[in-house]
Structures are given as structure tokens and as C-alpha cells.
Amino acid sequence: MSIIVCGSMAYDNIMIFEDRFKNHILPEQIHILNVSFLVPELRRDFGGCAGNIAYNLSLLGSNPLIVATVGDDAEDYRRRLDALGLSQEYVRHVPETFTAQAFITTDADDNQITAFHPGAMMFSHQNDVRAARGGRAQLAIVAADGREGMLRHAEGLAEIAVPFVFDPGQGLPILSGEELLHCLELARYCAVNDYEAQLMSNKTGQGIELLAARVEAFVVTLGSKGSHIYAGGERIEVPVVPPAALVDPTGCGDAFRAGLLHGIEQGWDWLSCGRLASVMGALKISHRGGQNHCPGRAEIEALFQSAFGENPWA
């Protein structure tokens, strides 16, 4: 059986500026800003919500089925998916577009200036998620994507009765309060970070408890403070797993969601699902980029055992 993963696929272009932005931006001249930063270090990583979540699911032994759109420049990403053994059956090519890309410049103080080009992601609604089921899918996630794509994927999954996690992420600001409530009504689960939870509350006019009551489980990540899972009328507190090193948070949320999905797929209780999600986030944060960590299943189980004194797979 497969887990349908709807969301963006992107290239993350990371550039390192070895000075500080504040030394080159004059506050009194901000109205005529014209600056250039020399970036001798450039790294290009594979990313995007769907790509990252699917990668982490593959590490766990699940079978992700990606539903996403890419542009004319996707050959490198396609070769990577082939090497990982991930299906491209529903990775749709949109001619005359670029694959979504983030251009991130980081200075010596870890300040960032980011530009994001959505490219093919804006045509995600051209993928009909209903075709991806094929009798194989038992679970899905709708992650950040083009606005119309997120809405259509949520409605399509509800139509074919595949339970899904609604994970609007960075796409949350482009959805109205009514659209957010509509997606929650269709979803079985929801996962957001604490900032997104507050933004969702503000846009819908409903508190976290009321939003959580609309789904079977409402997961709020809290960074270094762990996560809360609202389920069955209670709030389950899940601690963070101490990482080997704090290197790069890029993609940690996607790794967390992969752990959550795998736990749901296995039929675990919510505390165990949250604990695995924390383990996956800890493994990711000790590496740069969204897909450069490569623990084996044995390493994942060992970290779970070390952190929580049990092995839920045993």
C-alpha cells in the first residue's frame, strides 16, 4: 500500500555571504536600495515539501507516491527519484516552466534573504489526485503547494475516501479562513507549527481547541519545545529528541510529518506517532538541506529506543 504525498518539489539554492548584511545596507538609503552580495559558496539541494516527505518516508520503509508538478529543468530531480526507487507516475511535467526554486542568501549572522519562484507548482491543480489511488493508497498528506492544487487535492482525496493530513505550511497565508475550515472538514488530521496554528486561528476566528475538534488529531510543532497533539479530547505532549548537532532546520518539519505518517500507517497510538516524528526531526537537523541525512532503519530504531526506552516496531 502507498501513502500519497501531495505538495511541492523544489530546488533549494543556498548561497553563503561571508559578511553581514547590516554592513552593506544603509538605513538612510533604503528608499533607493541597490546592493550586490558576493557569494563564493553555493549549494543546490533537492527540496520541496513532497520531495522531502517522500524521502523521509522511504527511509522508514513506507511506500510514498508523489503527486507534484515539475518544470523543464527537472531531469536532475528525476534521476534522484529513480536512484531512490520512488515512483514518478504522478510527477507531472509542466512545459515551459521551471521547477519551483528557492534562492536563499545567508550572512555571517545567519540572517537570510530569500526569493521563491513557484514555477510549475502553480499548475499543481492539473494533477488529479483521484487517479493516484489505484486501489493502493490508504493514507495521504496535502502539503504546501499551489493554492488551487491544495484545495483540489483535499477535495479529491475526500471524494475517494482516502484519509489525509492537511499540512498547509507556507501555503497557509494564501488560503482564506473559509478555505482553511473547508479543508479541515475534509481532512482527518492536521499538522502545523505554532506560528501557523496562531495564523490559522486568526484567519478562521476559532481557537486551537475548536480547530482541533474538527479533526481526529491536530498536531502543533513547537520547535525545541517538542510538539502537542490534540486528540480524543486531550492534549498529548511530545518532547523533542536531542539531536547530535544543530546544523540546519531546513526540512525538519517535513521529516517530522513523515514520522507522523509512518506511525499512523502502522496503527500506533498518538504518543508513539509523535515520538517517531521527533526522532525524524532530530536526525534531519544534524545535516544541511532537506534530504542529505541518510540513516538506516536500524539507526532510526536505535535512536527511538535510546530516547524513549522502547521500540514500537518490535
Side-chain angles (χ1 to χ4, degrees), residues 53-110:
I53 293 171
Y55 175 74
N56 283 279
L57 283 171
S58 70
L59 295 176
L60 286 162
S62 291
N63 181 29
L65 190 62
I66 301 171
V67 177
T69 45
V70 296
D72 296 334
D73 57 343
E75 188 56 35
D76 286 347
Y77 216 142
R78 288 192 177 277
R79 282 197 294 267
R80 174 171 176 77
L81 296 178
D82 280 339
L84 293 170
L86 295 176
S87 172
Q88 300 182 47
E89 185 177 359
Y90 300 101
V91 177
R92 183 186 183 98
H93 171 224
V94 182
E96 300 183 4
T97 68
F98 289 107
T99 301
Q101 315 204 23
F103 298 88
I104 305 166
T105 304
T106 302
D107 77 354
D109 289 330
D110 283 333

Short mmCIF file of all heavy atoms in Angstrom, two decimals, residues 53-110:
data_model
loop_
_atom_site.label_atom_id
_atom_site.label_comp_id
_atom_site.label_asym_id
_atom_site.label_seq_id
_atom_site.Cartn_x
_atom_site.Cartn_y
_atom_site.Cartn_z
N ILE A 53 9.18 14.96 2.26
CA ILE A 53 8.35 13.99 3.00
C ILE A 53 8.51 12.60 2.41
O ILE A 53 8.68 11.61 3.13
CB ILE A 53 6.88 14.43 3.00
CG1 ILE A 53 6.70 15.73 3.80
CG2 ILE A 53 5.98 13.33 3.59
CD1 ILE A 53 5.33 16.36 3.67
N ALA A 54 8.48 12.52 1.07
CA ALA A 54 8.63 11.21 0.42
C ALA A 54 9.99 10.60 0.72
O ALA A 54 10.11 9.39 0.97
CB ALA A 54 8.44 11.36 -1.09
N TYR A 55 11.04 11.43 0.73
CA TYR A 55 12.38 10.93 1.03
C TYR A 55 12.43 10.32 2.43
O TYR A 55 12.94 9.21 2.63
CB TYR A 55 13.40 12.06 0.91
CG TYR A 55 14.79 11.67 1.34
CD1 TYR A 55 15.58 10.86 0.53
CD2 TYR A 55 15.31 12.09 2.56
CE1 TYR A 55 16.86 10.48 0.91
CE2 TYR A 55 16.59 11.72 2.95
CZ TYR A 55 17.35 10.91 2.14
OH TYR A 55 18.61 10.53 2.53
N ASN A 56 11.89 11.03 3.41
CA ASN A 56 11.90 10.53 4.78
C ASN A 56 11.02 9.29 4.95
O ASN A 56 11.36 8.38 5.72
CB ASN A 56 11.46 11.63 5.74
CG ASN A 56 12.55 12.65 6.00
OD1 ASN A 56 13.44 12.44 6.81
ND2 ASN A 56 12.49 13.77 5.28
N LEU A 57 9.91 9.23 4.24
CA LEU A 57 9.09 8.02 4.29
C LEU A 57 9.85 6.82 3.74
O LEU A 57 9.72 5.71 4.26
CB LEU A 57 7.79 8.24 3.50
CG LEU A 57 6.71 9.06 4.19
CD1 LEU A 57 5.57 9.39 3.22
CD2 LEU A 57 6.15 8.33 5.42
N SER A 58 10.65 7.05 2.70
CA SER A 58 11.43 5.94 2.13
C SER A 58 12.46 5.44 3.14
O SER A 58 12.75 4.25 3.19
CB SER A 58 12.09 6.37 0.83
OG SER A 58 13.13 7.30 1.04
N LEU A 59 13.04 6.35 3.95
CA LEU A 59 13.99 5.93 4.97
C LEU A 59 13.32 5.02 6.00
O LEU A 59 13.95 4.12 6.55
CB LEU A 59 14.56 7.16 5.69
CG LEU A 59 15.42 8.13 4.86
CD1 LEU A 59 15.83 9.32 5.72
CD2 LEU A 59 16.66 7.43 4.31
N LEU A 60 12.04 5.27 6.25
CA LEU A 60 11.30 4.50 7.24
C LEU A 60 10.75 3.18 6.68
O LEU A 60 10.25 2.35 7.44
CB LEU A 60 10.13 5.34 7.77
CG LEU A 60 10.54 6.46 8.74
CD1 LEU A 60 9.43 7.50 8.86
CD2 LEU A 60 10.88 5.88 10.11
N GLY A 61 10.84 3.01 5.37
CA GLY A 61 10.34 1.78 4.77
C GLY A 61 8.92 1.87 4.27
O GLY A 61 8.35 0.86 3.84
N SER A 62 8.31 3.08 4.32
CA SER A 62 6.98 3.26 3.74
C SER A 62 7.09 3.43 2.24
O SER A 62 8.19 3.58 1.69
CB SER A 62 6.30 4.49 4.36
OG SER A 62 5.96 4.27 5.71
N ASN A 63 5.96 3.43 1.56
CA ASN A 63 5.93 3.49 0.11
C ASN A 63 5.22 4.77 -0.34
O ASN A 63 4.02 4.77 -0.56
CB ASN A 63 5.22 2.26 -0.46
CG ASN A 63 5.19 2.27 -1.98
OD1 ASN A 63 6.08 2.82 -2.62
ND2 ASN A 63 4.16 1.67 -2.55
N PRO A 64 5.95 5.89 -0.46
CA PRO A 64 5.30 7.14 -0.85
C PRO A 64 5.01 7.21 -2.35
O PRO A 64 5.77 6.70 -3.17
CB PRO A 64 6.34 8.19 -0.46
CG PRO A 64 7.64 7.48 -0.57
CD PRO A 64 7.38 6.05 -0.18
N LEU A 65 3.90 7.84 -2.68
CA LEU A 65 3.51 8.06 -4.07
C LEU A 65 3.35 9.57 -4.25
O LEU A 65 2.40 10.17 -3.77
CB LEU A 65 2.19 7.34 -4.38
CG LEU A 65 1.74 7.27 -5.83
CD1 LEU A 65 2.76 6.50 -6.67
CD2 LEU A 65 0.37 6.61 -5.95
N ILE A 66 4.33 10.19 -4.91
CA ILE A 66 4.38 11.64 -5.02
C ILE A 66 3.39 12.14 -6.07
O ILE A 66 3.35 11.63 -7.20
CB ILE A 66 5.79 12.12 -5.39
CG1 ILE A 66 6.80 11.66 -4.34
CG2 ILE A 66 5.83 13.63 -5.55
CD1 ILE A 66 8.25 11.90 -4.75
N VAL A 67 2.61 13.15 -5.69
CA VAL A 67 1.72 13.86 -6.61
C VAL A 67 2.20 15.31 -6.64
O VAL A 67 1.99 16.07 -5.68
CB VAL A 67 0.25 13.78 -6.18
CG1 VAL A 67 -0.62 14.60 -7.13
CG2 VAL A 67 -0.22 12.33 -6.15
N ALA A 68 2.91 15.69 -7.71
CA ALA A 68 3.53 17.02 -7.76
C ALA A 68 3.76 17.41 -9.21
O ALA A 68 3.61 16.61 -10.12
CB ALA A 68 4.86 17.01 -6.99
N THR A 69 4.15 18.67 -9.40
CA THR A 69 4.44 19.18 -10.73
C THR A 69 5.86 19.71 -10.78
O THR A 69 6.35 20.32 -9.83
CB THR A 69 3.46 20.31 -11.12
OG1 THR A 69 3.31 21.21 -10.01
CG2 THR A 69 2.10 19.74 -11.47
N VAL A 70 6.54 19.49 -11.92
CA VAL A 70 7.92 19.96 -12.11
C VAL A 70 8.03 20.61 -13.49
O VAL A 70 7.16 20.44 -14.35
CB VAL A 70 8.93 18.80 -11.99
CG1 VAL A 70 8.92 18.23 -10.58
CG2 VAL A 70 8.63 17.70 -13.01
N GLY A 71 9.12 21.35 -13.69
CA GLY A 71 9.32 22.06 -14.95
C GLY A 71 10.33 21.40 -15.87
O GLY A 71 10.72 20.23 -15.69
N ASP A 72 10.79 22.18 -16.84
CA ASP A 72 11.70 21.66 -17.86
C ASP A 72 13.07 21.30 -17.30
O ASP A 72 13.84 20.59 -17.95
CB ASP A 72 11.88 22.70 -18.97
CG ASP A 72 10.59 22.98 -19.74
OD1 ASP A 72 9.73 22.08 -19.77
OD2 ASP A 72 10.46 24.09 -20.29
N ASP A 73 13.40 21.81 -16.12
CA ASP A 73 14.72 21.61 -15.53
C ASP A 73 14.74 20.48 -14.49
O ASP A 73 15.62 20.44 -13.63
CB ASP A 73 15.19 22.91 -14.86
CG ASP A 73 14.20 23.40 -13.81
OD1 ASP A 73 13.03 22.95 -13.81
OD2 ASP A 73 14.58 24.25 -12.98
N ALA A 74 13.79 19.57 -14.57
CA ALA A 74 13.63 18.57 -13.51
C ALA A 74 14.45 17.31 -13.69
O ALA A 74 14.34 16.39 -12.87
CB ALA A 74 12.14 18.20 -13.39
N GLU A 75 15.28 17.23 -14.71
CA GLU A 75 15.96 15.97 -15.01
C GLU A 75 16.82 15.49 -13.84
O GLU A 75 16.85 14.30 -13.53
CB GLU A 75 16.81 16.11 -16.27
CG GLU A 75 17.42 14.81 -16.75
CD GLU A 75 16.38 13.72 -17.02
OE1 GLU A 75 15.27 14.07 -17.48
OE2 GLU A 75 16.69 12.54 -16.75
N ASP A 76 17.53 16.41 -13.19
CA ASP A 76 18.36 16.01 -12.05
C ASP A 76 17.50 15.41 -10.93
O ASP A 76 17.88 14.41 -10.31
CB ASP A 76 19.14 17.21 -11.50
CG ASP A 76 20.29 17.61 -12.40
OD1 ASP A 76 20.64 16.83 -13.29
OD2 ASP A 76 20.84 18.72 -12.19
N TYR A 77 16.37 16.03 -10.68
CA TYR A 77 15.48 15.54 -9.62
C TYR A 77 14.90 14.17 -10.01
O TYR A 77 14.78 13.26 -9.19
CB TYR A 77 14.35 16.54 -9.36
CG TYR A 77 13.94 16.64 -7.90
CD1 TYR A 77 13.61 17.86 -7.33
CD2 TYR A 77 13.88 15.51 -7.08
CE1 TYR A 77 13.24 17.96 -5.99
CE2 TYR A 77 13.49 15.60 -5.74
CZ TYR A 77 13.18 16.83 -5.21
OH TYR A 77 12.81 16.92 -3.89
N ARG A 78 14.56 14.02 -11.28
CA ARG A 78 14.01 12.74 -11.73
C ARG A 78 15.04 11.62 -11.59
O ARG A 78 14.70 10.50 -11.20
CB ARG A 78 13.52 12.86 -13.17
CG ARG A 78 12.24 13.67 -13.32
CD ARG A 78 11.63 13.52 -14.70
NE ARG A 78 10.37 14.22 -14.85
CZ ARG A 78 9.18 13.75 -14.47
NH1 ARG A 78 9.11 12.56 -13.89
NH2 ARG A 78 8.08 14.44 -14.67
N ARG A 79 16.29 11.92 -11.90
CA ARG A 79 17.33 10.90 -11.73
C ARG A 79 17.48 10.53 -10.26
O ARG A 79 17.71 9.36 -9.93
CB ARG A 79 18.66 11.42 -12.29
CG ARG A 79 18.76 11.35 -13.80
CD ARG A 79 20.21 11.45 -14.27
NE ARG A 79 20.77 12.76 -13.97
CZ ARG A 79 20.76 13.78 -14.83
NH1 ARG A 79 20.21 13.65 -16.02
NH2 ARG A 79 21.31 14.93 -14.49
N ARG A 80 17.34 11.51 -9.39
CA ARG A 80 17.42 11.22 -7.96
C ARG A 80 16.26 10.32 -7.52
O ARG A 80 16.46 9.36 -6.77
CB ARG A 80 17.40 12.52 -7.16
CG ARG A 80 17.34 12.29 -5.65
CD ARG A 80 17.53 13.58 -4.88
NE ARG A 80 17.39 13.39 -3.44
CZ ARG A 80 18.30 12.85 -2.65
NH1 ARG A 80 19.44 12.41 -3.17
NH2 ARG A 80 18.09 12.73 -1.36
N LEU A 81 15.05 10.62 -7.98
CA LEU A 81 13.90 9.78 -7.62
C LEU A 81 14.10 8.36 -8.11
O LEU A 81 13.77 7.39 -7.42
CB LEU A 81 12.62 10.38 -8.19
CG LEU A 81 12.19 11.75 -7.65
CD1 LEU A 81 10.92 12.22 -8.35
CD2 LEU A 81 11.97 11.70 -6.14
N ASP A 82 14.66 8.22 -9.31
CA ASP A 82 14.96 6.88 -9.83
C ASP A 82 15.94 6.16 -8.93
O ASP A 82 15.77 4.97 -8.60
CB ASP A 82 15.54 6.98 -11.25
CG ASP A 82 14.47 7.18 -12.31
OD1 ASP A 82 13.30 6.86 -12.04
OD2 ASP A 82 14.81 7.68 -13.39
N ALA A 83 17.00 6.87 -8.51
CA ALA A 83 18.02 6.25 -7.67
C ALA A 83 17.45 5.82 -6.32
O ALA A 83 17.90 4.83 -5.74
CB ALA A 83 19.18 7.23 -7.46
N LEU A 84 16.46 6.58 -5.84
CA LEU A 84 15.83 6.26 -4.56
C LEU A 84 14.72 5.21 -4.69
O LEU A 84 14.19 4.73 -3.68
CB LEU A 84 15.24 7.53 -3.92
CG LEU A 84 16.25 8.59 -3.47
CD1 LEU A 84 15.51 9.88 -3.11
CD2 LEU A 84 17.07 8.10 -2.29
N GLY A 85 14.37 4.88 -5.91
CA GLY A 85 13.30 3.92 -6.13
C GLY A 85 11.93 4.49 -5.87
O GLY A 85 10.99 3.74 -5.55
N LEU A 86 11.78 5.81 -6.01
CA LEU A 86 10.49 6.47 -5.77
C LEU A 86 9.73 6.64 -7.08
O LEU A 86 10.29 7.10 -8.08
CB LEU A 86 10.70 7.83 -5.10
CG LEU A 86 11.30 7.79 -3.69
CD1 LEU A 86 11.55 9.19 -3.18
CD2 LEU A 86 10.40 7.02 -2.74
N SER A 87 8.47 6.29 -7.07
CA SER A 87 7.64 6.36 -8.27
C SER A 87 7.48 7.79 -8.77
O SER A 87 7.29 8.72 -7.98
CB SER A 87 6.25 5.76 -7.98
OG SER A 87 5.37 5.99 -9.07
N GLN A 88 7.55 7.95 -10.08
CA GLN A 88 7.29 9.25 -10.71
C GLN A 88 6.01 9.23 -11.53
O GLN A 88 5.77 10.14 -12.33
CB GLN A 88 8.46 9.61 -11.62
CG GLN A 88 9.79 9.72 -10.90
CD GLN A 88 10.91 10.14 -11.84
OE1 GLN A 88 10.77 11.09 -12.62
NE2 GLN A 88 12.02 9.43 -11.79
N GLU A 89 5.19 8.24 -11.31
CA GLU A 89 3.99 8.08 -12.11
C GLU A 89 3.10 9.31 -12.08
O GLU A 89 2.45 9.65 -13.09
CB GLU A 89 3.21 6.86 -11.62
CG GLU A 89 2.00 6.51 -12.46
CD GLU A 89 1.30 5.25 -11.98
OE1 GLU A 89 1.78 4.63 -11.00
OE2 GLU A 89 0.26 4.88 -12.59
N TYR A 90 3.05 10.01 -10.94
CA TYR A 90 2.19 11.18 -10.82
C TYR A 90 3.00 12.46 -10.56
O TYR A 90 2.49 13.41 -9.99
CB TYR A 90 1.16 10.95 -9.72
CG TYR A 90 0.29 9.75 -10.03
CD1 TYR A 90 0.52 8.53 -9.41
CD2 TYR A 90 -0.71 9.83 -10.99
CE1 TYR A 90 -0.25 7.41 -9.73
CE2 TYR A 90 -1.47 8.72 -11.33
CZ TYR A 90 -1.24 7.52 -10.69
OH TYR A 90 -1.99 6.41 -11.01
N VAL A 91 4.25 12.44 -11.01
CA VAL A 91 5.06 13.67 -11.03
C VAL A 91 4.88 14.25 -12.43
O VAL A 91 5.45 13.76 -13.41
CB VAL A 91 6.54 13.39 -10.72
CG1 VAL A 91 7.35 14.67 -10.83
CG2 VAL A 91 6.68 12.79 -9.33
N ARG A 92 4.10 15.29 -12.53
CA ARG A 92 3.66 15.82 -13.83
C ARG A 92 4.61 16.91 -14.33
O ARG A 92 4.96 17.83 -13.59
CB ARG A 92 2.25 16.39 -13.70
CG ARG A 92 1.65 16.90 -15.01
CD ARG A 92 0.31 17.58 -14.74
NE ARG A 92 -0.33 18.03 -15.96
CZ ARG A 92 -1.28 17.36 -16.60
NH1 ARG A 92 -1.71 16.21 -16.12
NH2 ARG A 92 -1.82 17.84 -17.70
N HIS A 93 5.01 16.82 -15.58
CA HIS A 93 5.85 17.84 -16.21
C HIS A 93 4.97 18.93 -16.80
O HIS A 93 4.04 18.64 -17.57
CB HIS A 93 6.71 17.20 -17.31
CG HIS A 93 7.43 18.19 -18.15
ND1 HIS A 93 7.50 18.10 -19.53
CD2 HIS A 93 8.11 19.32 -17.81
CE1 HIS A 93 8.19 19.12 -20.00
NE2 HIS A 93 8.57 19.87 -18.98
N VAL A 94 5.25 20.17 -16.43
CA VAL A 94 4.53 21.32 -16.99
C VAL A 94 5.48 22.03 -17.95
O VAL A 94 6.45 22.66 -17.52
CB VAL A 94 4.07 22.29 -15.88
CG1 VAL A 94 3.29 23.45 -16.49
CG2 VAL A 94 3.22 21.57 -14.85
N PRO A 95 5.26 21.92 -19.26
CA PRO A 95 6.18 22.51 -20.24
C PRO A 95 6.31 24.02 -20.08
O PRO A 95 5.38 24.71 -19.63
CB PRO A 95 5.53 22.15 -21.58
CG PRO A 95 4.66 20.98 -21.30
CD PRO A 95 4.15 21.19 -19.91
N GLU A 96 7.48 24.52 -20.45
CA GLU A 96 7.78 25.95 -20.45
C GLU A 96 7.68 26.58 -19.05
O GLU A 96 7.30 27.73 -18.91
CB GLU A 96 6.88 26.70 -21.45
CG GLU A 96 7.06 26.21 -22.88
CD GLU A 96 6.22 27.00 -23.88
OE1 GLU A 96 5.55 27.96 -23.46
OE2 GLU A 96 6.23 26.63 -25.05
N THR A 97 8.01 25.79 -18.04
CA THR A 97 8.11 26.32 -16.68
C THR A 97 9.40 25.80 -16.05
O THR A 97 10.01 24.85 -16.54
CB THR A 97 6.93 25.87 -15.78
OG1 THR A 97 7.03 24.45 -15.55
CG2 THR A 97 5.58 26.20 -16.41
N PHE A 98 9.80 26.45 -14.98
CA PHE A 98 10.88 25.93 -14.14
C PHE A 98 10.26 25.16 -12.98
O PHE A 98 9.14 25.46 -12.54
CB PHE A 98 11.72 27.08 -13.57
CG PHE A 98 12.58 27.77 -14.59
CD1 PHE A 98 12.25 29.04 -15.03
CD2 PHE A 98 13.72 27.15 -15.08
CE1 PHE A 98 13.04 29.70 -15.97
CE2 PHE A 98 14.53 27.80 -16.02
CZ PHE A 98 14.18 29.07 -16.46
N THR A 99 10.99 24.19 -12.46
CA THR A 99 10.62 23.58 -11.19
C THR A 99 10.71 24.66 -10.12
O THR A 99 11.55 25.56 -10.19
CB THR A 99 11.58 22.43 -10.87
OG1 THR A 99 11.52 21.47 -11.94
CG2 THR A 99 11.22 21.74 -9.55
N ALA A 100 9.84 24.60 -9.12
CA ALA A 100 9.86 25.59 -8.05
C ALA A 100 11.27 25.70 -7.46
O ALA A 100 11.96 24.69 -7.32
CB ALA A 100 8.87 25.21 -6.96
N GLN A 101 11.68 26.92 -7.12
CA GLN A 101 13.04 27.12 -6.63
C GLN A 101 13.08 28.20 -5.56
O GLN A 101 12.41 29.23 -5.67
CB GLN A 101 13.99 27.54 -7.76
CG GLN A 101 13.82 26.74 -9.00
CD GLN A 101 15.07 26.72 -9.88
OE1 GLN A 101 16.18 26.92 -9.44
NE2 GLN A 101 14.84 26.44 -11.13
N ALA A 102 13.88 27.94 -4.53
CA ALA A 102 14.17 28.94 -3.51
C ALA A 102 15.61 29.40 -3.67
O ALA A 102 16.51 28.57 -3.87
CB ALA A 102 13.95 28.36 -2.12
N PHE A 103 15.83 30.69 -3.60
CA PHE A 103 17.17 31.27 -3.66
C PHE A 103 17.42 31.95 -2.31
O PHE A 103 16.82 32.99 -2.01
CB PHE A 103 17.27 32.27 -4.80
CG PHE A 103 17.03 31.65 -6.16
CD1 PHE A 103 15.75 31.55 -6.67
CD2 PHE A 103 18.08 31.15 -6.91
CE1 PHE A 103 15.51 30.97 -7.92
CE2 PHE A 103 17.86 30.57 -8.16
CZ PHE A 103 16.57 30.47 -8.65
N ILE A 104 18.27 31.35 -1.51
CA ILE A 104 18.45 31.77 -0.13
C ILE A 104 19.89 32.24 0.08
O ILE A 104 20.83 31.48 -0.14
CB ILE A 104 18.15 30.61 0.84
CG1 ILE A 104 16.75 30.06 0.58
CG2 ILE A 104 18.29 31.07 2.30
CD1 ILE A 104 16.48 28.72 1.25
N THR A 105 20.04 33.49 0.49
CA THR A 105 21.36 34.02 0.82
C THR A 105 21.44 34.20 2.33
O THR A 105 20.60 34.88 2.93
CB THR A 105 21.62 35.37 0.12
OG1 THR A 105 21.46 35.20 -1.29
CG2 THR A 105 23.02 35.87 0.42
N THR A 106 22.45 33.59 2.93
CA THR A 106 22.64 33.63 4.39
C THR A 106 23.92 34.37 4.72
O THR A 106 24.96 34.13 4.10
CB THR A 106 22.73 32.19 4.95
OG1 THR A 106 21.54 31.48 4.60
CG2 THR A 106 22.88 32.21 6.46
N ASP A 107 23.84 35.30 5.70
CA ASP A 107 25.05 36.04 6.06
C ASP A 107 25.72 35.45 7.31
O ASP A 107 25.29 34.41 7.83
CB ASP A 107 24.74 37.53 6.23
CG ASP A 107 24.03 37.87 7.53
OD1 ASP A 107 23.66 36.96 8.30
OD2 ASP A 107 23.85 39.08 7.79
N ALA A 108 26.75 36.12 7.79
CA ALA A 108 27.54 35.60 8.91
C ALA A 108 26.78 35.56 10.22
O ALA A 108 27.18 34.87 11.16
CB ALA A 108 28.80 36.45 9.08
N ASP A 109 25.67 36.29 10.30
CA ASP A 109 24.82 36.27 11.50
C ASP A 109 23.63 35.33 11.35
O ASP A 109 22.70 35.35 12.16
CB ASP A 109 24.30 37.68 11.81
CG ASP A 109 25.41 38.59 12.32
OD1 ASP A 109 26.34 38.08 12.97
OD2 ASP A 109 25.33 39.80 12.06
N ASP A 110 23.63 34.51 10.28
CA ASP A 110 22.53 33.60 9.96
C ASP A 110 21.24 34.32 9.60
O ASP A 110 20.15 33.74 9.67
CB ASP A 110 22.27 32.61 11.11
CG ASP A 110 23.31 31.49 11.14
OD1 ASP A 110 23.86 31.18 10.07
OD2 ASP A 110 23.57 30.95 12.22
#
